Amino acid sequence: MNYTSVSHPQLGKGATAFLAKDLRMLIDGKWVAAKSGKTIDVEDPATQQIIASVPAGSAADIDAAVRAARLAFDKGPWSRISPADRSRLIWKLADLLETHADEFAELETIDNGKPVVNARRGDVQGAIDVFRYMAGWPTRLTGETVPVSSAGNWHVYTTREPVGVVGQIIPWNFPLMMAAWKLAPALAAGCTIVLKPAEQTPLTALRFGEIIQEAGFPDGVVNIVTGYGEEAGAALAEHPDVDKIAFTGSTAVGKRIVKAAASNLKRVSLELGGKSPAIVFPDADLEHAIAGTADAIFYNMGQCCTAGSRLFAHASVFDRIVEGVVEKASRLKLGHGLDTSVNMGPLVSQKQWDRVTGYIESGRTEGAQVLTGGTSTDKSGYFVEPTVLVTTRGDMKVVREEIFGPVVCVQRFDSDELDSVARFANDTDYGLAASIWTRDLRTAHTLARKIRAGTVCINTHNYVDPALPFGGFKQSGWGREMGKEAVEHYTETKAVAACL
Ligand code: ADP
């Protein structure tokens, strides 16, 4: 198939021109093919049409990228750049993203499948906001003077230094935004980077590489290597000259990253899976709770690590909540994400379609009742209808494992006792997020304290902000993204002790 001829009526000039290019990887300021010459086809998941191909980078390409990043960190102009100039460059990225926002949104949609309206307002805007927020950090990364107690005359202080060369491996659910969450704090801290986008969704990362160059970053500061996880990703996680690896993806791969990182004890931060509870109390604004909990699971076709996939409704409002969420699900319009009237696009790939429909089948087999959805549509592409399962129990696979699709398991609870509510909310290996729906301040904040999750939302779900640390308890990860913590995770603390 000749992918360069692919066009879509809603695809603008910028995105069309980008897709027509011979796409390469960015290593040391140059656009290069994989050393092996191999490529990966990129698919529009709404049509299953091949729309581009990108290099299939492997260990040799990762090695070249790491060498470039090492040189840029140790010797290049980046090693001498002032904090204010780092800020200026990062801010420029936000400005350039804003200039090309529609193009980025369209590329994200045709690559990932998500509705273009969400791509523009959520993904692209979110990326712009993260770069603007992080642009403020270079001039604010200070150490401390420390009042030591040793005998003598001491001047003791700490400094924060960039951790060095960072490998960043990102997923396919929010491709550009995940790149922004990783790149922005690392650049703010003064690191150099090798970024590996997901093989399913490499387009916006490569387009972003062009913006990196346009903004004026020195060669080798940001390198972008496309490739499969088991090849390029694994090589990056293992590489002895990488000082830190930052990963977002599945918990299973996260555990592999930890093992690979042990080779040189590189620093690791992980943002992994979730099975987040949304808990609705009888005193909640029920219309708001219905809309919010439906959105918590169906936004981005359920492909959010924080998705509210376990919905707990108090027995006294259970029927109303279920009826409301089913009704919301039935009103969502599925279709090609470039159609601006569409609410839900396809899942990202055949693999995800198989996985999600497999879970729905497993739920049925274990006794769950499918109230709505549960099948794909008659369209080509990896569409799965928004699905509501009831009569689910805490021991079912659909309740225990992350589905990463538009499938919610609704369970009833009777107790008004918050310790017992917290027990079922916490009955999971994960601890990424949770939401509590109530008008009662005491209920909200007491339960928020008892839930073991990195983000607890009250009367909302899937809430993120560049200033707010984001990450997980338990098997949802290590460390935090965004906020001050994210930047600090890209630094080492140095203690300087001067005997005067
Ligand atoms: P999914 O299974 O949903 O595709 P993954 O966790 O496998 O999610 O993918 C997230 C990212 O991790 C992608 O960029 C992928 O290429 C990468 N990846 C997958 N396997 C490995 C691995 N063994 N080592 C390093 N990175 C990997």
Side-chain angles (χ1 to χ4, degrees):
M1 184 181 299
N2 177 8
Y3 56 79
T4 55
S5 67
V6 166
S7 66
H8 191 284
Q10 270 88 20
L11 210 54
K13 274 202 194 109
T16 305
F18 182 75
L19 288 175
K21 283 184 184 169
D22 179 13
L23 298 178
R24 306 281 179 98
M25 315 185 276
L26 181 62
I27 298 180
D28 204 13
K30 290 165 205 68
W31 292 97
V32 297
K35 287 187 196 296
S36 67
K38 289 188 186 157
T39 56
I40 302 174
D41 283 342
V42 181
E43 200 184 16
D44 173 355
T47 60
Q48 296 169 275
Q49 210 179 353
I50 306 301
I51 49 170
S53 84
V54 298
S58 61
D61 305 292
I62 288 289
D63 196 51
V66 172
R67 258 185 286 127
R70 187 83 260 164
L71 203 68
F73 184 79
D74 292 337
K75 303 209 174 82
W78 188 245
S79 63
R80 297 181 295 276
I81 191 173
S82 73
D85 283 340
R86 284 212 306 278
S87 286
R88 241 193 305 278
L89 282 171
I90 298 170
W91 191 274
K92 187 98 189 275
L93 289 177
D95 285 348
L96 287 169
L97 257 185
E98 204 159 50
T99 305
H100 300 286
D102 291 339
E103 179 188 340
F104 271 94
E106 288 162 16
L107 287 174
E108 202 72 308
T109 290
I110 201 152
D111 199 4
N112 164 282
K114 67 181 65 199
V116 71
V117 178
N118 297 359
R120 175 66 188 88
R121 289 196 198 134
D123 300 60
V124 179
Q125 192 57 47
I128 294 167
D129 293 346
V130 168
F131 281 109
R132 294 241 161 89
Y133 170 81
M134 289 296 173
W137 271 109
T139 53
R140 287 163 180 78
L141 270 177
T142 56
E144 294 176 328
T145 53
V146 184
V148 296
S149 301
S150 331
N153 185 13
W154 294 88
H155 175 49
V156 177
Y157 59 94
T158 62
T159 56
R160 283 200 173 267
E161 300 186 0
V163 71
V165 173
V166 180
Q168 303 185 321
I169 301 175
I170 54 171
W172 44 259
N173 58 341
F174 293 94
L176 177 69
M177 204 160 70
M178 291 299 103
W181 285 22
K182 293 275 181 285
L183 293 171
L187 291 170
C191 297
T192 59
I193 297 152
V194 177
L195 176 79
K196 196 209 77 71
E199 52 270 39
Q200 300 85 345
T201 54
L203 297 184
T204 47
L206 293 181
R207 179 67 184 94
F208 194 76
E210 297 181 347
I211 277 186
I212 295 264
Q213 293 198 299
E214 196 180 340
F217 281 84
D219 291 350
V221 173
V222 178
N223 304 274
I224 302 171
V225 179
T226 48
Y228 290 109
E230 312 80 62
E231 289 179 34
L236 189 55
E238 270 159 27
H239 202 288
D241 234 2
V242 170
D243 299 298
K244 173 187 161 104
I245 191 94
F247 171 77
T248 296
S250 61
T251 294
V253 173
K255 290 178 183 178
R256 256 176 264 157
I257 300 276
V258 170
K259 284 196 184 128
S263 59
N264 66 333
L265 285 182
K266 55 176 69 70
R267 279 71 182 122
V268 180
S269 55
L270 304 169
E271 202 266 276
L272 308 176
K275 194 74 189 176
S276 300
I279 308 160
V280 185
F281 287 90
D283 70 326
D285 172 341
L286 293 187
E287 288 317 305
H288 180 62
I290 287 165
T293 56
D295 196 50
I297 184 65
F298 300 136
Y299 185 75
N300 211 40
M301 293 67 76
Q303 301 169 135
C304 300
C305 45
T306 51
S309 49
R310 292 183 299 143
L311 172 55
F312 295 100
H314 190 275
S316 62
V317 292
F318 181 86
D319 290 345
R320 175 72 200 98
I321 294 293
V322 169
E323 182 195 338
V325 172
V326 166
E327 204 233 328
K328 293 274 178 215
S330 63
R331 282 169 184 262
L332 293 172
K333 181 176 168 192
L334 273 66
H336 198 294
L338 287 175
D339 173 347
T340 50
S341 68
V342 153
N343 308 112
M344 278 176 75
L347 302 187
V348 75
S349 64
Q350 180 74 55
K351 184 177 155 204
Q352 283 309 112
W353 190 91
D354 291 345
R355 175 191 165 95
V356 172
T357 53
Y359 270 113
I360 296 170
E361 264 329 290
S362 121
R364 277 201 178 99
T365 309
E366 289 192 281
Q369 194 190 341
V370 181
L371 287 189
T372 187
T375 51
S376 61
T377 61
D378 54 2
K379 301 178 198 313
S380 64
Y382 308 118
F383 291 91
V384 172
E385 289 173 349
T387 300
V388 178
L389 304 181
V390 290
T391 61
T392 54
R393 300 179 313 271
D395 62 345
M396 287 179 174
K397 250 171 75 129
V398 280
V399 173
R400 301 222 67 80
E401 297 177 14
E402 184 177 47
I403 298 175
F404 225 63
V407 183
V408 64
C409 298
V410 199
Q411 290 176 269
R412 180 193 308 262
F413 69 97
D414 301 295
S415 177
D416 294 318
E417 210 264 304
L418 295 183
D419 278 325
S420 126
V421 176
R423 250 192 313 280
F424 57 70
N426 289 332
D427 182 20
T428 165
D429 292 336
Y430 297 109
L432 193 59
S435 62
I436 302 166
W437 302 79
T438 177
R439 288 186 169 107
D440 187 294
L441 279 178
R442 186 186 158 278
T443 301
H445 294 291
T446 309
L447 189 55
R449 212 178 288 158
K450 291 176 191 290
I451 289 179
R452 291 186 42 76
T455 303
V456 179
C457 295
I458 296 166
N459 296 323
T460 185
H461 197 104
N462 288 336
Y463 182 81
V464 292
D465 185 276
L468 191 67
F470 176 90
F473 284 32
K474 301 197 275 183
Q475 293 193 34
S476 288
W478 289 350
R480 293 292 178 269
E481 304 209 83
M482 305 213 279
K484 184 182 184 189
E485 281 190 61
V487 195
E488 289 182 350
H489 279 303
Y490 286 102
T491 67
E492 293 278 14
T493 302
K494 179 178 281 176
V496 180
C499 182
L500 304 175

